[in-house]
Amino acid sequence: MPKPNLNLLVTLDVLLAEGSVARAAKRLRLSPSAMSRALQRLRETTGDPLLVRAGRGLVATPRALDLRETVGRLVEEAEAVLRPQEKLDLKRLVRTFTLRTSDGFVENFGPCLLARLGAEAPGVRLAFVQKSDKGSGPLRDGSVDLETGVVGEATGPELRTQALFRDRFIGVVRNGHALSGGEEVTPARYAAGRHILVSRRGPEKVAVGIDDTLGSIGLEREIVTIVGGFSSALALARSSDLIASVPERHTSALRQGMHSFPLPFSLPQITVSLLWHPRLDADPAHRWLRGCIREVCIAQGSDMPASAS
């Protein structure tokens, strides 16, 4: 069965509104003969006369009267779909966005981000969810609108990404710890301590190169415990003699009142990025939120300039 010509919906809508072939032709800028042919196609498609002669005019059939409201609504909705989006009104925007982040992002960037959203778009709510893995499934299925993290092999190739800031790993201990006294922290002193490993995958070593780097100079650190996030690692280090190695910028708010020091060996910096699915690329509200997140991260000491979405 051939598909109906959907352009006929507009013709039918105008014919039912005008009740005249001549007036409908003028409104659609067609010749009367072209409009008469369109009416004939409509009759063949619907199996109904639609408009019949009554004296010098035309009157709608019962079927046409039943269709009038539905056809009008369909045409209106189609025009709305094809019409360019109206300018975003942030003060009237009511929407909830879900942001999946790594441990520490909420504590460090959340307060400034929420303050900005509250000032610009009070009807917008931000739901933060923890990042339990690096899979791209939540972005693909729409359960997550945005995500922060390090782009890697597990990142879906179709995802859009925008660099937010660079970060480096540092060591953190409680005040009064042997490594907080001002004496130089050498690789040997660092390795001799008792350490907390952060890994969302359980008893596997994180791929930040610490153990490989120590191994290359003949050293090995003792891993006493494994936790799933940076906040847990810092909580343990705060009340023990354990050493936590965490990203500096991600954890600045969590490290208040503790002693931090640069790692005594060279590691490559990591780039934390914003990720989203391409279906949301042109969404005005989503673009606005992406800009807010970038600017908040930049304002808090980023060394990377903002750029367009």
Side-chain angles (χ1 to χ4, degrees):
M1 184 177 180
K3 292 184 178 180
N5 183 354
L6 297 181
N7 289 326
L8 291 175
L9 281 174
V10 177
T11 304
L12 178 57
D13 183 45
V14 175
L15 277 168
L16 295 178
E18 296 293 344
S20 163
V21 170
R23 289 196 299 271
K26 183 177 181 180
R27 181 167 159 185
L28 291 177
R29 298 182 180 180
L30 296 174
S31 66
S33 59
M35 181 57 69
S36 294
R37 289 194 297 271
L39 176 56
Q40 183 57 38
R41 288 196 298 272
L42 281 165
R43 287 167 171 166
E44 293 169 357
T45 301
T46 62
D48 188 88
L50 298 174
L51 294 169
V52 296
R53 180 69 57 186
R56 293 187 177 183
L58 297 174
V59 294
T61 65
R63 174 79 191 283
L65 293 174
D66 288 341
L67 289 174
R68 179 183 294 170
E69 184 177 343
T70 300
V71 170
R73 185 175 67 252
L74 287 173
V75 170
E76 184 178 323
E77 290 176 353
E79 290 175 345
V81 168
L82 297 175
R83 188 182 303 126
Q85 286 186 311
E86 297 179 0
K87 185 177 179 181
L88 183 64
D89 186 348
L90 292 176
K91 296 299 183 184
R92 298 177 61 184
L93 179 63
V94 177
R95 190 162 166 183
T96 297
F97 293 95
T98 301
L99 175 60
R100 192 168 82 136
T101 65
S102 299
D103 197 32
F105 187 92
V106 176
E107 293 87 344
N108 201 50
F109 301 102
C112 288
L113 181 58
L114 291 174
R116 170 149 181 188
L117 266 57
E120 294 186 16
V124 168
R125 183 169 58 180
L126 200 56
F128 293 101
V129 295
Q130 278 292 321
K131 191 172 183 177
S132 58
D133 58 59
K134 295 185 177 182
S136 301
L139 288 173
R140 286 177 174 144
D141 65 27
S143 58
V144 166
D145 297 293
L146 283 163
E147 183 173 306
T148 64
V150 177
V151 176
E153 294 181 359
T155 303
E158 79 279 17
L159 296 184
R160 300 285 192 265
T161 63
Q162 169 67 56
L164 292 176
F165 57 86
R166 295 187 182 94
D167 212 342
R168 64 169 184 165
F169 276 77
I170 59 172
V172 185
V173 294
R174 66 172 179 82
N175 285 324
H177 188 281
L179 297 183
S180 69
E183 185 180 345
E184 180 186 0
V185 178
T186 63
R189 291 188 68 209
Y190 171 84
R194 303 170 75 235
H195 293 261
I196 304 164
L197 175 68
V198 178
S199 174
R200 291 192 297 265
R201 299 168 294 172
E204 298 179 25
K205 295 191 175 183
V206 289
V208 297
I210 292 177
D211 295 287
D212 290 340
T213 301
L214 288 174
S216 69
I217 56 178
L219 296 172
E220 183 178 358
R221 61 177 179 164
E222 178 188 2
I223 303 296
V224 174
T225 187
I226 302 168
V227 297
F230 302 126
S231 59
S232 298
L234 291 169
L236 286 174
R238 189 183 295 274
S239 56
S240 71
D241 283 330
L242 299 179
I243 303 169
S245 299
V246 300
E248 183 176 28
R249 292 204 57 216
H250 243 84
T251 62
S252 61
L254 298 171
R255 293 183 286 106
Q256 295 295 321
M258 301 182 73
H259 177 75
S260 304
F261 59 90
L263 294 180
F265 41 80
S266 179
L267 286 178
Q269 287 189 328
I270 60 174
T271 298
V272 177
S273 297
L274 191 62
L275 300 88
W276 65 95
H277 195 275
R279 69 174 173 277
L280 294 170
D281 205 38
D283 180 81
H286 198 273
R287 288 174 64 90
W288 162 76
L289 179 59
R290 297 196 306 261
C292 290
I293 295 173
R294 283 200 307 272
E295 290 167 16
V296 164
C297 290
I298 289 167
Q300 292 187 224
S302 173
D303 60 352
M304 304 193 73
S307 61
S309 299

